[in-house]
Amino acid sequence: MSSSKPAAVVFDLGKVLLDFDYSHVVRKVAALGRVDVDTIHRLLLSSTLLPAFECGDMSPREFYRQICEGTGFTGDYEQFVRYFSDIFSEIPAMVALQAELRSRGVPTFIFSNTNELAIAYVRQAFPFFARFDGYVLSYEHHSMKPDAPLYEVVERVTGRRGADLLYFDDRLENIEAGLGRGWQAVLHVDPVESRKALERSGLLG
């Protein structure tokens, strides 16, 4: 990590501030569909369907329609939205870490590959989400990490670049893309290690 003190901290959302488990929605869709759990899992997580949704290339209604086509899901749209959205749980130690940074006047930002349904749910269910200085969400910009255009958006939104940014993400390819732009970037493993990284940066004592 650079010896210079960063001016802002950028957090990934999933698996950093919020845990998530798609097996919940897979099981619920399977219960009202005509294919097995493995088929639904592949459709949701191993096909181009979810990336297209998270790139903003597909509306929530179209995403629902394609899930119904691929699985035979018989639930209505509102039921699917509840199933698909209710997969998150807060990671308290990381939420507390962001709150501590905020209390010290450090600007914090969210930078996430995500979708419209997930964010609508997160905004409603997790109050901490409102306490950031800005958000860069893949579906709003038709681009996904680790592609460069979304990182450029972060630099515009934060008004900072290079070593002024300290970035936490759980995926190595995303971290490497940040490092390639001169950011200070840390592969998030657990809250203890991420706190140590913040202490080394000089932002926390």
Side-chain angles (χ1 to χ4, degrees):
M1 188 182 294
S2 167
S3 59
S4 64
K5 186 175 179 179
V9 180
V10 178
F11 291 92
D12 180 27
L13 183 59
K15 300 295 183 181
V16 176
L17 294 163
L18 291 176
D19 202 0
F20 61 87
D21 185 353
Y22 276 110
S23 69
H24 297 317
V25 63
V26 167
R27 287 195 302 269
K28 290 173 181 176
V29 169
L32 293 176
R34 55 172 166 72
V35 296
D36 61 24
V37 165
D38 288 343
T39 301
I40 297 169
H41 190 276
R42 284 194 300 273
L43 175 68
L44 192 57
L45 301 179
S46 300
S47 74
T48 59
L49 188 58
L50 189 57
F53 189 34
E54 298 201 329
C55 252
D57 295 336
M58 181 182 298
S59 71
R61 290 274 181 179
E62 175 62 15
F63 182 66
Y64 163 70
R65 188 187 69 76
Q66 295 216 20
I67 289 289
C68 291
E69 275 189 9
T71 67
F73 179 68
T74 57
D76 63 21
Y77 175 72
E78 287 71 24
Q79 189 171 18
F80 173 73
V81 168
R82 288 196 302 274
Y83 290 174
F84 182 74
S85 303
D86 190 14
I87 63 171
F88 297 100
S89 57
E90 194 171 295
I91 302 175
M94 288 302 292
V95 171
L97 205 56
Q98 185 266 341
E100 189 174 347
L101 288 168
R102 184 174 172 82
S103 73
R104 291 171 179 242
V106 179
T108 57
F109 298 83
I110 283 180
F111 177 31
S112 179
N113 285 346
T114 188
N115 61 78
E116 187 176 342
L117 293 180
I119 292 301
Y121 177 81
V122 169
R123 286 189 197 281
Q124 179 271 325
F126 300 101
F128 82 86
F129 187 79
R131 302 178 192 132
F132 287 78
D133 293 273
Y135 308 83
V136 177
L137 309 172
S138 59
Y139 74 93
E140 293 183 335
H141 300 281
H142 299 279
S143 179
M144 291 180 73
K145 298 183 286 187
D147 294 340
L150 206 57
Y151 290 73
E152 294 167 6
V153 175
V154 172
E155 292 170 355
R156 291 199 301 272
V157 168
T158 63
R160 298 170 178 87
R161 51 195 306 127
D164 280 345
L165 292 170
L166 175 56
Y167 169 41
F168 291 91
D169 199 296
D170 67 307
R171 297 186 68 88
L172 182 58
E173 65 269 29
N174 297 340
I175 288 297
E176 288 174 340
L179 291 170
R181 304 184 70 84
W183 299 6
Q184 302 186 54
V186 175
L187 183 66
H188 173 74
V189 178
D190 59 53
V192 172
E193 292 304 312
S194 289
R195 169 173 275 280
K196 288 178 182 176
L198 283 163
E199 289 171 352
R200 289 193 298 271
S201 77
L203 290 176
L204 293 182

